């Protein structure tokens, strides 16, 4: 049986401290979603419940136009699945690290998995810190900021109106750019990043809107997988 990695309160505190900058981005992003939810005529309770249970900014924003346009759940479900497809790749990448943990600890860590937490924890692990508490701590900070900011953004949105004129809809692009910068490796990552950029531009040019995010993620993942030489 594989020896489980450490999972400590100290690691959770380290992850939470490291995630504060990403937590700030979650707050801004949550404000934007809350305002958009108010514009889409969701109630405050519906907005908070969506953020607390779904916990995916890209998916939540993508389904807002469908919320009142159709009573069918299939398009909403399909949109959420596609927008969150990147978590399949993250889960696969985390499998060697989390192997040996109990089902409860693994489930708890993955329940709060978020892009920023994955990036921070992966960097810490590559530097020798194998405490899975770092992953959970980072996720909890982002989750808390996201849910609380949704409520504040909802109330603000009722008075602000269209948040796009304030530029808050740019927060997702800024977050993704910062994530790429943190993980950037000049030699290995040029082709996957280029593939993702081209896919995003093409889909956006065709009027795909938020689908450009999913398309970029899939294109980058496929390009990276094709380049993978099997050595780790």
């Amino acid at each position: 049986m594989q020896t489980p990695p450490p999972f400590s309160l100290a690691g959770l505190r380290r992850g939470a401290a490291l995630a504060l900058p990403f937590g700030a981005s979650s707050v801004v992003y949550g404000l934007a979603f809350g305002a958009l939810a108010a514009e889409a005529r969701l109630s405050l309770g519906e907005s908070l419940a969506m953020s607390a249970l779904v916990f995916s900014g890209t998916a939540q924003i993508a389904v807002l136009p469908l919320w009142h346009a159709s009573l069918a759940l299939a398009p909403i479900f399909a949109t959420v699945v596609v927008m969150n497809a990147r978590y399949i790749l993250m889960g696969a990448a985390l499998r060697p690290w989390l192997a040996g943990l109990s089902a409860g600890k693994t489930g708890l860590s993955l329940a709060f998995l978020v892009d920023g937490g994955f990036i921070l924890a992966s960097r810490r692990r590559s530097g020798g810190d194998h405490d899975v508490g770092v992953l959970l701590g980072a996720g909890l900070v982002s989750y808390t900021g996201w849910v609380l900011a949704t409520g504040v953004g909802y109330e603000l949105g009722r008075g602000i109106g269209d948040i796009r004129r304030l530029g808050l809809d740019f927060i997702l692009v800024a977050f993704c750019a910062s994530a790429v910068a943190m993980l950037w490796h000049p030699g290995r990552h040029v082709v996957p990043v280029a593939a993702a950029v081209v896919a995003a531009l093409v889909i956006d040019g065709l009027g795909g809107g938020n689908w450009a995010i999913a398309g970029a993620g899939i294109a980058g993942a496929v390009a990276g997988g094709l380049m993978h030489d099997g050595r780790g």
Side-chain angles (χ1 to χ4, degrees), residues 2-7 96-101 130-132:
Q2 183 173 341
T3 302
F7 187 93
W97 184 17
L98 302 184
L101 276 182
H130 295 274
D131 196 321
V132 181

Side-chain angles (χ1 to χ4, degrees), residues 33 37 41-53 67 147 150-151 154-155 158:
F33 169 72
R41 295 181 288 115
L42 269 70
S43 69
L44 176 59
E46 289 171 335
S47 304
L48 289 172
M50 185 184 290
S51 286
L53 298 175
W67 200 254
V147 175
T150 294
Y154 184 92
E155 295 299 331
R158 296 171 68 179

Side-chain angles (χ1 to χ4, degrees), residues 25-122:
S25 72
S26 292
V27 169
V28 178
Y29 199 7
L31 291 173
F33 169 72
L36 287 171
E39 185 180 338
R41 295 181 288 115
L42 269 70
S43 69
L44 176 59
E46 289 171 335
S47 304
L48 289 172
M50 185 184 290
S51 286
L53 298 175
V54 180
F55 186 35
S56 175
T58 52
Q60 290 176 226
I61 289 177
V63 302
L64 283 179
L66 304 174
W67 200 254
H68 292 287
S70 172
L71 294 178
L73 293 178
I76 295 176
F77 178 79
T79 299
V80 172
V81 169
V82 172
M83 288 297 173
N84 287 335
R86 67 190 187 279
Y87 287 107
I88 298 175
L89 301 174
M90 291 185 197
L94 290 170
R95 178 65 177 85
W97 184 17
L98 302 184
L101 276 182
S102 67
K105 291 179 179 178
T106 299
L108 184 62
S109 300
L110 295 180
F112 294 97
L113 179 63
V114 68
D115 303 76
F118 173 79
I119 293 167
L120 289 171
S122 296

Side-chain angles (χ1 to χ4, degrees), residues 7 40 127 139 146 157 161 190 214 224:
F7 187 93
W146 171 252
V190 173

Side-chain angles (χ1 to χ4, degrees), residues 207-226:
N210 287 327
W211 289 96
I213 300 169
I218 293 171
V222 170
L226 292 175

